[in-house]
């Protein structure tokens, strides 16, 4: 049994090493004889290819993107690369490294005065903390979602404002704070209904339903659940 385990481990490791060598060869062929800015844009496109699958490959290209950005000594590029790296860490469950990359991103994005990506980085910090069951980290999630909300109010981006309200409402649902969950979830729903954001309306309806459930208003909860289900079914027909 021990020999079989050692053999299996060796096979996995050799496969991993082979895949990395292959990725390095592909990366070299992509960026050879290109300027730093060209390299950055090429590798950035490679990063975006792997949002839901081949996540380790996404991480490989995210790290390569940061290496290129550091060579450029351009604060905006370094901030962007760290933001992408943070998301890569988030989706593979490396929350501590994700938070570290976010704060590194903020340092450079503030230097570059990139208000849009500063806001998105606040949101990313909130998303990473929101996956926790630790109450202190959930409060940190609310703190950064509120920072994100402020940036989107300044930009007058209704869809993102609704997203911020929805995220804050979701955290209060996790905390089973029914009053606050209802307040923010309803604000998100109202905005999404106003701009007819059909993809996210069922989510907000469901969150309002959960809030009513925690408030003990079961009939109202059922009404919102049923609306969410009906809209979801209609959108998939």
């Amino acid at each position: 049994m021990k020999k079989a385990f050692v053999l299996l481990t060796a096979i996995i490791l050799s496969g991993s090493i082979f895949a990395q060598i292959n990725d390095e060869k592909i990366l070299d062929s992509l960026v050879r004889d290109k300027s730093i800015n060209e390299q950055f844009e090429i590798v950035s496109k490679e990063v975006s290819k792997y949002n839901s699958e081949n996540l380790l490959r996404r991480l490989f290209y995210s790290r390569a993107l940061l290496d290129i950005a550091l060579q450029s000594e351009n604060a905006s590029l370094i901030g962007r690369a760290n933001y992408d790296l943070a998301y890569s860490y988030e989706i593979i469950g490396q929350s501590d490294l994700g938070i570290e990359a976010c704060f590194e991103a903020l340092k450079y994005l503030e230097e570059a005065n990139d208000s849009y990506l500063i806001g998105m980085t606040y949101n990313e910090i909130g998303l990473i903390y929101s996956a926790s069951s630790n109450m202190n980290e959930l409060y940190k999630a609310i703190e950064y979602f509120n920072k994100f909300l402020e940036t989107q109010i300044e930009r007058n981006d209704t869809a993102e404002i609704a997203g911020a309200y929805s995220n804050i409402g979701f955290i209060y649902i996790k905390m089973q704070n029914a009053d606050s969950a209802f307040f923010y979830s309803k604000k998100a729903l109202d905005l999404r209904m106003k701009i007819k954001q059909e993809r996210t309306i069922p989510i907000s309806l469901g969150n309002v339903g959960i809030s009513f459930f925690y408030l003990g208003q079961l009939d109202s909860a059922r009404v919102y659940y049923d609306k969410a289900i009906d809209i979801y079914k209609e959108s998939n027909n």
Side-chain angles (χ1 to χ4, degrees):
M1 179 68 74
K2 186 175 181 181
K3 287 182 179 179
F5 176 77
V6 171
L7 178 61
L8 179 61
T9 302
I11 292 170
I12 293 170
L13 287 173
S14 63
S16 177
I17 292 168
F18 176 78
Q20 183 172 339
I21 291 170
N22 188 51
D23 284 337
E24 288 171 354
K25 287 181 178 178
I26 294 170
L27 175 63
D28 181 65
S29 69
L30 288 171
V31 302
R32 191 183 302 127
D33 300 326
K34 299 290 194 301
S35 71
I36 288 292
N37 284 342
E38 288 173 329
Q39 289 180 34
F40 187 89
E41 294 307 323
I42 289 168
V43 176
S44 182
K45 288 178 182 177
E46 290 300 308
V47 171
S48 65
K49 287 180 181 179
Y50 304 109
N51 283 334
S52 59
E53 56 185 26
N54 292 321
L55 298 182
L56 291 179
R57 183 161 289 161
R58 178 192 168 90
L59 181 60
F60 169 81
Y61 282 112
S62 292
R63 287 171 171 164
L65 188 68
L66 181 57
D67 288 341
I68 293 166
L70 290 169
Q71 290 177 52
S72 76
E73 298 183 352
N74 181 301
S76 179
L77 296 186
I78 297 171
R80 280 176 59 190
N82 272 293
Y83 172 76
D84 275 334
L85 183 59
Y87 179 64
S88 295
Y89 281 132
E90 180 207 344
I91 59 181
I92 64 170
Q94 297 288 332
S95 57
D96 289 345
L97 291 174
I99 292 294
E100 183 180 318
C102 281
F103 283 113
E104 194 70 9
L106 284 175
K107 181 172 71 176
Y108 287 99
L109 294 170
E110 286 166 0
E111 181 182 335
N113 197 29
D114 189 334
S115 59
Y116 172 73
L117 270 185
I118 288 171
M120 297 308 293
T121 304
Y122 288 150
N123 188 57
E124 180 63 20
I125 295 171
L127 290 171
I128 294 172
Y129 279 133
S130 71
S132 175
S133 57
N134 179 285
M135 195 64 72
N136 288 332
E137 293 192 349
L138 292 179
Y139 277 118
K140 286 182 181 178
I142 292 171
E143 175 188 347
Y144 281 94
F145 283 143
N146 272 308
K147 286 176 179 284
F148 172 62
L149 175 61
E150 289 172 9
T151 65
Q152 301 315 299
I153 289 172
E154 287 179 9
R155 296 180 67 244
N156 197 30
D157 189 326
T158 304
E160 294 290 6
I161 291 169
Y165 285 140
S166 181
N167 286 336
I168 295 168
F170 175 73
I171 300 300
Y172 281 120
I173 286 172
K174 286 188 73 169
M175 293 176 166
Q176 296 189 21
N177 182 331
D179 289 329
S180 294
F182 174 78
F183 176 80
Y184 286 101
S185 297
K186 187 65 166 58
K187 286 176 80 73
L189 175 61
D190 289 345
L191 286 178
R192 285 170 169 172
M193 295 286 283
K194 180 180 178 181
I195 62 175
K196 299 180 181 179
Q197 195 178 49
E198 294 180 4
R199 180 178 57 85
T200 58
I201 287 172
I203 297 170
S204 287
L205 285 167
N207 286 345
V208 172
I210 294 169
S211 303
F212 272 125
F213 176 81
Y214 284 134
L215 286 166
Q217 299 180 33
L218 303 187
D219 290 340
S220 295
R222 181 176 291 278
V223 169
Y224 280 88
Y225 288 149
D226 289 344
K227 284 182 181 178
I229 292 168
D230 288 344
I231 292 174
Y232 180 78
K233 286 180 178 178
E234 287 174 11
S235 65
N236 282 276
N237 286 337

